[in-house]
Amino acid sequence: MTQEQLKSAIQNGKFDGIFTKLYGAKQIEWQRNRYLTCIEEFGKIYDDQRDLRIFSVSGRSEISGNHTDHNHGKVLAASIELDIIAVAAKNESDIIHVKSSGFQMDTVNLKDLDKQKYHKSALMIAGVCDGFTRFGYQAGGFDAYTTSNVFKASGLSSSAAFEDMIGTIQNYLYNDGKVDKVEIAKIAQYAEREFYGKPCGLMDQVACIYGGFVAIDFEDPEKPVVEPLAFDIEQAGYRLCIVNTGGNHSDLTDDYADIPNEMKAVAGYFGKETLREVTLGQVMEAASALRTKTGDRAILRAIHYLQENERVEAQKKALQEGNVPVFLQKVNESGRSSFQYLQNVYTNKNVHEQGLSLALLLAETALYGKEGACRVHGGGFAGTIQAFVKEEDVPAFSKVMENCFGEGSCVCLKIRPYGGLCVDEKMA
């Protein structure tokens, strides 16, 4: 559809059904205006007479499985209402133009994807496009305008959502929408690892693009097993709250890299590549020798990994059975293990800044004697914590958190059924 046709369809309520599923009924009017603005901004920059497509890719919340994916572990995650949206159209060239709200235009030449020539978001675009061709798919030129409310440095995976967005656009514009979502996630991971130089697992990219609550088993990372879980946290009387402590991840690459490296060092002691091939009994029995070989922290992190995999299975079973108390118990256990043994709540480079530690203490205090749970969220070291809070306790909980971290720092999120999608395909 053209720009005017799309705007008319949104204004006449033809997108209200999908907006309700993605964002909730209370946000329909706000999302209408958001999408209309995105279309108008596209028209200001590019030729507005072409057929346009509208896309959305969600942020994600890691529910459990903290730092397990990079050692072929198990994860629980969910797609959330915060998302990146894009209006895009083919431009019949080898050039990609992406203008993101608040940022300079990114331009990528598909005939020259040398990663030394690109920076920041353009590097991600180049990496995804290179991945599409390397994985055997088509990649072509397009123009796009994007806007995002997935706040950065939040543990909600804004970078993975952006990579998945580029992949989703390529999928629908040049591959007839036939590329599997997990395949797009793997291409996005390739871009982040090979072009951006970040040693990430695959969980962020899969969770952003898949939709709903999902259990993911990365025993074979080339063919991760993704199991949707039909559970409605709001219907159970709880809200998923994310508290942004204001930290950033700009100087934490070494901290992140140390975690998989130390876990794999323990695995290497047993002649294995990853901890998925090692048992808790083996680590316990070899603890004395491992102290000399790998150091104490590596052992702590290895045991966290092995026990976290068991927690994911217990939480998956609890969600399938609707057993909320057990689910919350395991959320708290995951949080304690991440703090004490995985040790990704603050960086040793700057022990004076411990926003996550403070947020967890305040959350535990606010939830004391109430039904709820909290844990570090995402990769850790800075950014956000996660809490499950009873609906009636949300105002008091938010007040405690925002008193410390500022107005708007506590956000209650909806789990949405779609991760990455072409929105106009769902139009009524």
Side-chain angles (χ1 to χ4, degrees), residues 106 160 404 412:
D106 287 314
C404 181
C412 294

Side-chain angles (χ1 to χ4, degrees), residues 137-335:
Y137 303 108
Q138 298 298 311
F142 63 84
D143 299 325
Y145 181 87
T146 81
T147 185
S148 175
N149 59 8
V150 184
F151 31 89
K152 295 182 180 298
S154 64
L156 299 174
S157 295
S158 57
S159 61
F162 183 79
E163 294 154 2
D164 282 344
M165 174 58 79
I166 300 303
T168 300
I169 293 172
Q170 289 287 9
N171 184 24
Y172 281 92
L173 294 188
Y174 288 98
N175 295 274
D176 298 321
K178 295 179 180 179
V179 185
D180 180 78
K181 288 186 176 183
V182 174
E183 193 80 345
I184 294 174
K186 287 162 62 177
I187 293 171
Q189 181 200 36
Y190 165 84
E192 189 141 344
R193 282 183 166 182
E194 301 301 322
F195 274 64
Y196 212 67
K198 183 177 178 181
C200 68
L202 187 57
M203 187 270 286
D204 292 351
Q205 290 80 3
V206 171
C208 285
I209 203 167
Y210 207 85
F213 273 105
V214 289
I216 313 170
D217 190 335
F218 293 105
E219 183 171 17
D220 180 355
E222 295 302 311
K223 297 179 180 179
V225 177
V226 183
E227 185 177 355
L229 301 172
F231 181 77
D232 190 330
I233 192 70
E234 291 184 41
Q235 191 173 23
Y238 289 84
R239 297 299 303 273
L240 168 60
C241 298
I242 301 296
V243 180
N244 188 356
T245 68
N248 71 75
H249 299 74
S250 61
D251 191 34
L252 299 175
T253 299
D254 291 342
D255 291 290
Y256 292 130
D258 283 344
I259 294 177
N261 290 343
E262 289 179 12
M263 288 183 178
K264 288 175 181 178
V266 173
Y269 174 84
F270 298 100
K272 307 297 183 182
E273 290 188 8
T274 70
L275 281 175
R276 186 60 183 263
E277 305 168 89
V278 179
T279 68
L280 178 60
Q282 287 176 306
V283 175
M284 300 286 281
E285 186 175 344
S288 178
L290 283 168
R291 294 189 71 189
T292 302
K293 185 73 174 179
T294 67
D296 293 342
R297 189 174 69 172
I299 304 171
L300 292 168
R301 286 174 163 172
I303 292 175
H304 161 84
Y305 166 91
L306 294 164
Q307 293 179 336
E308 190 81 339
N309 277 345
E310 295 177 2
R311 275 188 287 272
V312 168
E313 283 298 318
Q315 286 177 281
K316 181 177 78 170
K317 184 173 183 290
L319 290 178
Q320 289 169 331
E321 296 174 352
N323 191 335
V324 177
V326 169
F327 169 73
L328 295 176
Q329 174 191 339
K330 296 300 177 181
V331 170
N332 280 325
E333 288 179 10
S334 174

Side-chain angles (χ1 to χ4, degrees), residues 37 74 83 95 98 117 161 171 204 246 248 260 295 348 355 366 371 428:
T37 299
K74 301 178 181 182
D83 65 348
I95 305 298
V98 178
K117 296 183 178 181
N171 184 24
D204 292 351
N248 71 75
N348 290 324
E371 297 175 28

Side-chain angles (χ1 to χ4, degrees), residues 60-78:
R60 71 98 181 100
S61 180
E62 174 197 281
I63 307 302
S64 196
N66 202 353
H67 281 283
T68 57
D69 56 334
H70 46 58
N71 267 255
H72 300 189
K74 301 178 181 182
V75 174
L76 276 182

